[in-house]
Amino acid sequence: MPHDLPSPDPRFLPARPAFAARALEGIFRAPEYRATEAMRGAVAVADVLDDDHTLIDQLLFGEAFDVLLREGGRVWGQCRRDGVVGWIDAGALGPGAGAPTHRVSSIGGRLPLNALVDVSGDPVGEVALTPIGEFEPDLASVAERLLGLPHRLGGRSDGGMDCAGLVQACLIACGRAAPRYADGQAEAGRQVDRSELRRGDLVVWPHAEGGPGWSGHAAIMRDGEALIHASGRAGVVGVESLATVDARQRAEGFGPPVFRRI
């Protein structure tokens, strides 16, 4: 008999009260199990919303989206690249998951950083492309190219990104496991001591409560003392000292920072 998963995380659970994805049959209790319909992003960037219409993620061109429910002009399902579930405009999707050959590796073009394309047929425009399976070596170097981009809570694209979206984008570009939210990023790689910090390390301030689409504050170290982050206070991706950001985050109710080396 199906049983309840221990503390399933609703952010990544392809299930609603009336149904669950067929892949959960036998491990998650639901009145009905449905097959997913594989689709892919057909516009540069599409917003992913929760039930309250809050932006919690974005789907980039070429990324797969597994549809479980259609309602009017929108669909509900799961972003395959980072696992987030939510609503998306049906018109932003095309059929099939596709077979991308390249990843966009430049900023500010027709398609955003990390969009997935098949060069045999996708309208790419003036962007730099990297073959699937080839990655950049340095997280901080990718983050430096994102300096000046606007902050947008729930965003993970050139048009605006939140702190965890910035870290995720850099991890993807470097071929690393890329959790969408700060709590997942706080478990990536291995823990290091503050005295050992170096370029490319992650620093995450967890938050006990968080909110829709966020669970803490995340950044990438530029060197042993300064970090790069998408700052809601500044409104852009910028550079600040670790000491300054640490004092501010703790004053705003965040926990002590966690330092991780990828």
Side-chain angles (χ1 to χ4, degrees):
M1 292 290 291
H3 60 276
D4 294 327
L5 287 172
S7 303
D9 191 330
R11 299 174 299 176
F12 311 109
L13 187 68
R16 296 182 68 81
F19 63 84
R22 187 169 292 168
L24 294 178
E25 187 170 2
I27 59 174
F28 182 79
R29 192 183 305 278
E32 175 190 349
Y33 298 96
R34 298 183 180 180
T36 57
E37 177 187 2
M39 303 194 78
R40 66 192 290 254
V43 298
V45 181
D47 290 345
V48 179
L49 310 177
D50 66 11
D51 287 349
D52 296 322
H53 305 284
T54 301
L55 180 68
I56 54 171
D57 199 11
Q58 291 181 315
L59 188 79
L60 309 184
F61 184 91
E63 291 183 333
F65 187 85
D66 293 316
V67 176
L68 281 159
L69 174 65
R70 291 182 175 273
E71 185 179 273
R74 62 180 189 161
V75 299
W76 187 89
Q78 187 168 38
C79 303
R80 196 179 296 180
R81 202 174 205 178
D82 61 20
V84 174
V85 298
W87 294 95
I88 194 168
D89 183 350
L93 299 174
T101 61
H102 290 73
R103 175 186 61 83
V104 174
S105 53
S106 55
I107 312 296
R110 178 182 179 276
L111 298 178
L113 176 70
N114 293 325
L116 299 172
V117 301
D118 178 353
V119 295
S120 68
D122 288 333
V124 175
E126 295 296 323
V127 297
L129 298 176
T130 298
I132 295 296
E134 294 184 13
F135 303 105
E136 304 197 35
D138 181 32
L139 290 174
S141 292
V142 181
E144 286 169 338
R145 302 206 322 263
L146 299 171
L147 289 171
L149 289 185
H151 174 274
R152 186 186 184 197
L153 189 59
R156 54 180 289 260
S157 66
D158 299 5
M161 53 182 58
D162 59 25
C163 62
L166 167 72
V167 172
Q168 183 197 42
C170 296
L171 289 169
I172 289 173
C174 293
R176 305 295 186 174
R180 176 62 184 92
Y181 301 123
D183 58 325
Q185 294 168 2
E187 298 179 356
R190 64 180 178 87
Q191 187 167 341
V192 294
D193 188 80
R194 183 167 184 160
S195 63
E196 301 174 298
L197 281 177
R198 68 187 188 197
R199 181 178 175 86
D201 287 342
L202 306 187
V203 54
V204 180
W205 288 264
H207 194 283
E209 298 178 5
W214 69 278
S215 57
H217 187 70
I220 295 174
M221 296 302 298
R222 192 178 197 182
D223 52 40
E225 300 295 334
L227 55 79
I228 301 171
H229 66 150
S231 168
R233 175 184 291 267
V236 296
V237 177
V239 178
E240 287 191 90
S241 73
L242 171 61
T244 297
V245 178
D246 186 30
R248 184 166 64 239
Q249 297 306 124
R250 295 196 197 213
E252 294 178 355
F254 290 75
V258 174
F259 306 107
R260 308 293 293 188
R261 180 160 298 157
I262 305 299

